[in-house]
Amino acid sequence: MDQHKHAKLTILETSDTHGHIFPILYGTNKYEPIGLAKIATYIQHLRQTEPNLLLIDNGDSIQGTPLTYHYVKNQSDLPNPVILTFNQLKYDAAIIGNHEFNYGLPTLRKGISEAQFPFLSANIINKQTKEPYFGLPYTIKLFPEGMKVAILGLTTPYIPNWEKAEHIEGVEFEDAVETAKKWIPFIKEKEQPDLFIVSYHGGFERNLKTGEPTEAITGENQAYQLCQEVKGIDVLLTGHQHRLLADELNGVTIVQPGNSGAYMGQVDIEFAMDSRNKWKCVSKNPSLVPITEWKEDEEILQLILPYEEGTQKWLDQPIGRIQGDMIIKDPFLARIHEHPFVEFINRVQMEASNVDIANTALFSNQAIGLPINVTMRDIVSNYIYPNTLTVLELTGQDILDGLEKSATYFVVNEHGEIAVNPQFIDPKPQHYNYDMWEGIQYTIDVGKPVGERIVSLMKDGEPLDKKKTYHVVMNNYRATGGGNYSMYKGKKVVKEIQMDMTEILANYFTKYGTVVANVNNNWQVIRT
């Protein structure tokens, strides 16, 4: 072995690809330089020049596009298209992300069974056996020159705060840091690896340079803590936050490659052999590789074409008409002045659940509202999550607390104007955590201190009774307290509507044909 004095290894990471294989945005059906078909070309290019390649997906891969949604609803007898793509690209391992649970355990288990590589997560535990739920906590990869690499998988344990209970039945989520502290010494002693990689579907809760918290410390993101408190990690692959990071923290090399397959995370490792004929890591170079310029891999496109064609046909189905204007021209204005699209979503929720109070968010700044002739494409490009509806029993005080939480979305900027609170933009856009309500009348005054911004709150012309209970419909993510809406957590569930919101919206058009765009201006955002 000693004739090989030096050796190289290239680690490639994808994360939060969210079902993007073809380079398009489904809402507009226009070309976008993203997705696994482009990433495939870069991988094939590297394989020609770098003999030692380690390819890892860091989670949130099987959910997120109309292609993955259509597959689950209409083509689930076929192999999972994302797993097919990963198999074709010869992935070495994949991590379970939080969105892997969105379509339920049967879909997840089926995908894992089709994979020609291990799915890893050491801290997702079977409630009964206390063993890793999906079998493998870690995997070992050996390279021709004799280097031995360990890969430990970890997942954000915050999943019960977002996911439907039936989608995680029998599953337990342990703290990622404590799990790492338990497994790393065990793996090191048993396997004696030359390099230790932790692939963690989670992000950084603190500023990498100052250590200052960048969010509420809830346990959702523990990457900073992993770097500071856990010994023995050489490389930490991260995700979940959709950030672009390539850096080093406390001697740990870190990368996070954004989302939708626009970038790859890459770490170039150099090994040298020591006097005991043992490989030692002598350099680690993290980088982010934009895949914009790489052409799509034709084999991948052909492989997934049957899924894509089925999806496109489904998306182009006309389902109804809008009378009036339901187009969103400015997403910020749609959050400070009631918009017909937001009112429409709330009214559909109220009818579906038969209650008279609702809330919803405008999920992203890419939401464009509905044109005059509505297709399924318009529905799924605006309502981008596979949410169902939950009716909670809340007190007037709970509603007030929820409104005050939403009101933190705003700040008064240096020009004295209402603006978006930077905490809802950086490090990750969280526009989906600002709710707008129907069935009550309220005023948010951004000029008031946080916690005192709801200056008027009425129902049916009377002040809302803080002690009285009301039935409120919202999406299942919010109903579990998602977005740090702790006032909803553990509240009595009156009803659950077990149908995806996109189907509920489509059915609404089937029932009524034409929907009138209007608003009743039941809320306002002001600054005094």
Side-chain angles (χ1 to χ4, degrees), residues 13-146:
E13 178 202 12
T14 52
S15 191
D16 300 272
T17 51
H18 286 289
H20 286 281
I21 301 172
F22 275 66
I24 60 167
L25 289 178
Y26 286 93
T28 58
N29 218 22
K30 288 180 179 169
Y31 176 86
E32 185 76 9
I34 57 173
L36 288 167
K38 277 183 166 294
I39 277 174
T41 306
Y42 180 68
I43 293 168
Q44 311 292 23
H45 159 77
L46 265 198
R47 284 213 166 105
Q48 291 167 12
T49 56
E50 301 294 334
N52 296 325
L53 208 64
L54 189 56
L55 181 56
I56 300 169
D57 183 76
N58 191 58
D60 281 7
S61 62
I62 67 169
Q63 175 278 335
T65 54
L67 184 141
T68 59
Y69 179 86
H70 180 261
Y71 161 72
V72 169
K73 296 295 177 184
N74 303 295
Q75 297 177 309
S76 59
D77 55 320
L78 300 174
N80 188 299
V82 174
I83 304 299
L84 258 186
T85 305
F86 284 176
N87 285 341
Q88 180 81 358
L89 294 175
K90 296 181 169 57
Y91 269 73
D92 293 293
I95 310 306
I96 310 277
N98 52 297
H99 283 285
E100 260 64 76
F101 292 93
N102 285 175
Y103 297 135
L105 282 171
T107 296
L108 177 51
R109 282 200 201 97
K110 180 177 182 288
I112 290 172
S113 73
E114 292 162 359
Q116 293 163 11
F117 51 87
F119 267 87
L120 310 173
S121 186
N123 65 316
I124 299 179
I125 303 297
N126 185 310
K127 261 184 187 170
Q128 290 180 319
T129 66
K130 302 301 178 187
E131 297 292 319
Y133 190 91
F134 296 101
L136 286 174
Y138 74 96
T139 190
I140 297 292
K141 183 79 174 171
L142 285 167
F143 291 90
E145 293 91 336

Side-chain angles (χ1 to χ4, degrees), residues 188-223:
K188 287 208 163 197
E189 188 178 339
K190 184 184 176 194
E191 308 285 357
Q192 305 281 307
D194 302 305
L195 189 78
F196 206 108
I197 300 168
V198 172
S199 190
Y200 163 55
H201 188 81
F204 288 87
E205 70 280 28
R206 295 177 182 273
N207 182 291
L208 268 66
K209 299 288 178 274
T210 66
E212 288 297 307
T214 51
E215 58 183 53
I217 306 298
T218 60
E220 177 181 348
N221 295 300
Q222 296 178 285

